[in-house]
Amino acid sequence: MTTFLTGWGRTAPTPATLARPRSVEHLSELVAAAAGGRGVVARGLGRSYGDAAQNAGGLVLDCTGLDTWTQDEASGLVTASGGVSLHDLMTALVPRGWFVPVSPGTRHVTVGGAIAADVHGKNHHRDSSFGAHVRSLTLVTADGTVRTLHPGDPLFRATVGGMGLTGVIAEATFACVPVETALMRVDVQRTADLDETLATMEATDDRYRYTVAWIDLLAQGSRMGRSVLTRGDHLPRDDGKESPAFAPGASLRAPAWVPGGLLNRVSVRAFNEVWYRKAPRRKTIVQGIAPFFHPLDFVEGWNRVYGPRGFVQYQFVVPFGAEDTLRDIVGSLSAHGTVSFLTVLKRFGPGSGGLLSFPMPGWTLALDIPVGQRGLDGLLRGFDRRVADVGGRVYLAKDSRLRADMMAAMYPELERWRRIKDEADPAGLFRSDLARRLRL
Amino acid sequence: MKNALGAVDTVLLLGGRSEIGLEIVKLLVGLGASRVVLAARGDLAPPALSAEFHVLPFDALDVNGHGAVFDKAVELVGDLDVVISGFGVLGSQADYDADPAAAARDVAVNYGAHVSVGLHAARVLREQGHGTLVMLSSVAGARVRKSNFVYGSAKAGLDGFAQGLGDALHGSGARVLIVRPGFVIGRMTKGLTPAPLSSTPRQVASATVRALREGASSVWVPRALGPIFAVMRLLPRALWRRMPR
Ligand SMILES: Cc1cc2nc3c(=O)[nH]c(=O)nc-3n(C[C@H](O)[C@H](O)[C@H](O)COP(=O)(O)OP(=O)(O)OC[C@H]3O[C@@H](n4cnc5c(N)ncnc54)[C@H](O)[C@@H]3O)c2cc1C
């Protein structure tokens, strides 16, 4: 079946033949049969923003049919097929007293997608990224064979963060974290400007498992970088509130079609003002897992709100010590009046060892920007350069516009990754639009 | 691959000396295109731009060789994001009247060769599932005038072909962009007096690049020519015949 696919940002659709493997054997057959064509790539729930899970003119394997999993009661280790969603896992695990080791800002991602992008959460400064918790995985490689890989294997390190280009992750075993309730104790705090935001995060994030700052990007001058900080931990049972159930709640649905230009400078500024004002100067609250981790999941299909032309997410990391670059970029964005509905700042701890993994110790900023703002391409290209100059990088799972010539500077292990990829996939069967664009 | 903001990476220009074609290439390189193939007759020095340039021999009239040019281009740069069918010749109507064989040859370049190139491009782009073929049409083909009807009729054919091809490719991910400039002041029109609403190769190129970004299927340069020609096409022939040129 030929289908036009896009990422979550809904930009640059391309057609591909979509197949849905029913089992690992079927998956192997599909991969082996794809030789000689336009290549193949796995797709999970399509939550990467750009073209990572697209393959123009080729084959895309929708892995969401591979959805079985088990948990070892004693160790908590979960063994799940690549297509299992974190949503399904959480729904079942939280009442049993377990939580996934790392959750991105949406639950609607698959285990395969979480490993391929080596996703991070608000706990990166403490717990690193998803790949760091994987004990083993099975990979269907280009010749259709199923290989079992462990953290020391070169192919394992090329697969974690490898954006699906080494093979299809059929199954993975990973550690989970014990939780006593389905609630979070959250400290909310408002900061007056970027310096206060950075200083507060630096001073306090070792006290919380999860930390994130929402930045009001349209605030200028002395208020530039003012933020709402949320820092939290799983609520222990002895805090009195007992709530074993995980109740993400019903979701609203965004309208099927939304005109372009809805999110403009005026509407976003108004929203930001309200959001900032609404936050208490400082307060501790108790929240459910869903509103704390996945506020966006409450509106199904919210990506349509950006209008028919879609949007791009720009997420980069700069190492600690490069705060000036971060300040410069936030300053340029504020001055340029860039409309970003969601601007999120986090601190990263050590990486997971994935050769193309995004996280590295430093500050990471993520912005959602509707397509169509004048001068956007040039502005972001300038940021790419500044980020690369200080040894930082752009996140491939969010990317839809980076140029190939930036890759080597941003990902110093690229050549090593390529050698491992070429060995496992000599004909270059695993390919995606992202891989073509960035010449991976 | 075209990115989310419409910038492209690879370009194939057929008619590597075309002024308009080279202007389009320049602009695309400025916006990030990094690998360009120039296909042209004879030797050609690539422009001094910060991109990887390849030069391939290409003769519009050697239609049997067109397929190999595409295959070679793909071998050199991978998927083709933009293919510009940019070659063409403009002879005077008086010369054509005197030498019908020359007229037929030029029509073969201005129309027949584009058909061949267009079909090869369609094959490659359809298989890729993405990419845009840019065809340089002209207002001369929007309604043919007696002062240059040989050239105009070839452009009319090309325009019709490009429209049909665009429709045929609909749903494949590949597309056609038809560019319809008015009088272009440049090498090809040296010695002729510019018509009203004329443009430069640079202006044609920037309109083309904008249209590429927006994913448009046709663009008039300048834009005002669109509505003007919508009216021109309706003029009674008796009146059209008497138009100044
Ligand atoms: C609202 C929102 C918030 C987000 N927040 C975060 C965040 O906080 N942190 C973060 O790190 N990311 C975040 N993301 C990005 C998201 O976590 C990643 O893009 C993730 O990879 C999506 O998983 P998916 O299953 O949808 O994969 P897809 O988007 O379908 O695919 C992503 C990549 O994984 C590969 N892949 C998928 N399945 C497999 C498999 N079985 N085997 C091999 N490769 C496979 C694909 O080939 C592709 O390269 C967010 C995304 C959204 C929409």
Side-chain angles (χ1 to χ4, degrees), chain B residues 121-211:
Chain B
R123 162 179 64 87
V124 173
L125 302 190
R126 183 184 271 132
E127 206 174 280
Q128 283 177 191
H130 71 103
T132 307
L133 169 64
V134 177
M135 295 210 95
L136 297 178
S137 178
S138 165
V139 291
R143 182 151 190 195
V144 178
R145 298 185 305 259
K146 66 179 183 187
S147 62
N148 70 347
F149 63 88
V150 170
Y151 178 77
S153 64
K155 286 293 186 188
L158 174 133
D159 201 289
F161 170 79
Q163 291 179 46
L165 184 63
D167 288 341
L169 286 174
H170 185 79
S172 71
R175 46 202 315 157
V176 175
L177 169 61
I178 307 172
V179 181
R180 298 192 188 105
F183 188 96
V184 180
I185 306 164
R187 210 172 46 215
M188 200 161 159
T189 57
K190 211 164 183 169
L192 303 177
T193 6
L197 288 175
S198 57
S199 55
T200 62
R202 179 86 191 185
Q203 286 164 336
V204 179
S206 45
T208 304
V209 168
R210 204 173 320 122

Side-chain angles (χ1 to χ4, degrees), chain A residues 4 11-15 38 51 56-58 309 312 371-372 376-377 380-381 400-403 433-434 436-437 439, chain B residues 1-5 7-10 29-35 52 79 126-130 171-173 213-214:
Chain A
F4 274 81
T11 52
T14 55
R38 289 271 303 167
D51 46 9
R309 296 174 72 178
V312 296
V371 170
L376 184 60
D377 199 25
L380 297 183
R381 264 216 274 172
S400 57
R401 44 141 305 274
L402 191 68
R403 305 287 151 91
D433 288 359
L434 176 116
R436 280 191 198 93
R437 184 166 54 79
R439 285 179 232 153
Chain B
M1 279 311 294
K2 185 169 165 170
N3 76 12
L5 301 176
V8 299
D9 188 30
T10 60
V29 167
L31 292 167
S34 69
R35 286 177 296 183
E52 178 187 313
D79 283 13
R126 183 184 271 132
E127 206 174 280
Q128 283 177 191
H130 71 103
S172 71
R213 284 197 159 219
E214 289 165 1

Side-chain angles (χ1 to χ4, degrees), chain A residues 69 71 78 80 84-111 114 119-121 123 130 174 176-177 179 181-184 210 234 243-248 288-295 297:
Chain A
W69 62 277
Q71 187 184 27
V78 164
V84 173
S85 78
L86 295 194
H87 169 84
D88 286 348
L89 282 178
M90 280 176 210
T91 307
L93 288 178
V94 171
R96 292 194 205 169
W98 294 97
F99 194 60
V100 293
V102 167
S103 175
T106 171
R107 302 186 289 285
H108 301 291
V109 303
T110 62
V111 167
V119 301
H120 57 271
N123 55 339
F130 202 94
F174 54 90
C176 284
V177 290
V179 294
T181 68
L183 295 173
M184 306 295 300
Y210 304 98
H234 294 282
S243 168
F246 168 64
I289 280 175
F292 179 74
F293 286 98
H294 318 116
D297 287 347

Side-chain angles (χ1 to χ4, degrees), chain A residues 82-308:
Chain A
V84 173
S85 78
L86 295 194
H87 169 84
D88 286 348
L89 282 178
M90 280 176 210
T91 307
L93 288 178
V94 171
R96 292 194 205 169
W98 294 97
F99 194 60
V100 293
V102 167
S103 175
T106 171
R107 302 186 289 285
H108 301 291
V109 303
T110 62
V111 167
I115 296 171
D118 196 11
V119 301
H120 57 271
K122 297 175 176 140
N123 55 339
H124 194 279
H125 61 286
R126 282 263 297 258
D127 303 325
S128 192
S129 46
F130 202 94
H133 305 269
V134 177
R135 301 291 170 80
S136 69
L137 58 84
T138 56
L139 188 71
V140 176
T141 49
D143 52 6
T145 59
V146 186
R147 296 200 210 175
T148 302
L149 305 172
H150 295 94
D153 302 338
L155 191 53
F156 182 97
R157 295 186 62 198
T159 299
V160 169
M163 302 309 292
L165 298 171
T166 57
V168 183
I169 297 160
E171 194 179 85
T173 298
F174 54 90
C176 284
V177 290
V179 294
E180 293 177 19
T181 68
L183 295 173
M184 306 295 300
R185 184 176 49 217
V186 185
D187 268 359
V188 183
Q189 184 182 341
R190 239 159 61 175
T191 61
D193 59 25
L194 189 62
D195 284 334
E196 189 188 337
T197 309
L198 299 184
T200 313
M201 286 174 84
E202 199 173 331
T204 63
D205 74 354
D206 58 343
R207 283 188 242 149
Y208 302 90
R209 182 164 215 146
Y210 304 98
T211 295
V212 67
W214 168 86
I215 299 190
D216 177 1
L217 203 60
L218 287 177
Q220 285 175 346
S222 64
R223 297 184 304 178
M224 197 263 282
R226 69 176 184 179
S227 307
V228 178
L229 271 176
T230 49
R231 294 158 298 172
D233 283 294
H234 294 282
L235 189 78
R237 199 186 298 276
D238 59 19
D239 262 35
K241 315 227 179 198
E242 193 155 337
S243 168
F246 168 64
S251 50
L252 301 168
R253 188 182 270 275
W257 188 83
V258 177
L262 191 66
L263 294 183
N264 53 41
R265 218 160 287 178
V266 176
S267 64
V268 172
R269 195 187 292 279
F271 169 83
N272 285 7
E273 193 65 40
V274 170
W275 195 257
Y276 182 78
R277 295 270 160 229
K278 188 180 80 87
R281 224 168 276 282
R282 175 106 207 229
K283 197 177 174 186
T284 303
I285 57 174
V286 170
Q287 249 184 340
I289 280 175
F292 179 74
F293 286 98
H294 318 116
L296 287 164
D297 287 347
F298 280 103
V299 184
E300 199 183 319
W302 61 264
N303 55 342
R304 289 197 296 267
V305 174
Y306 284 85

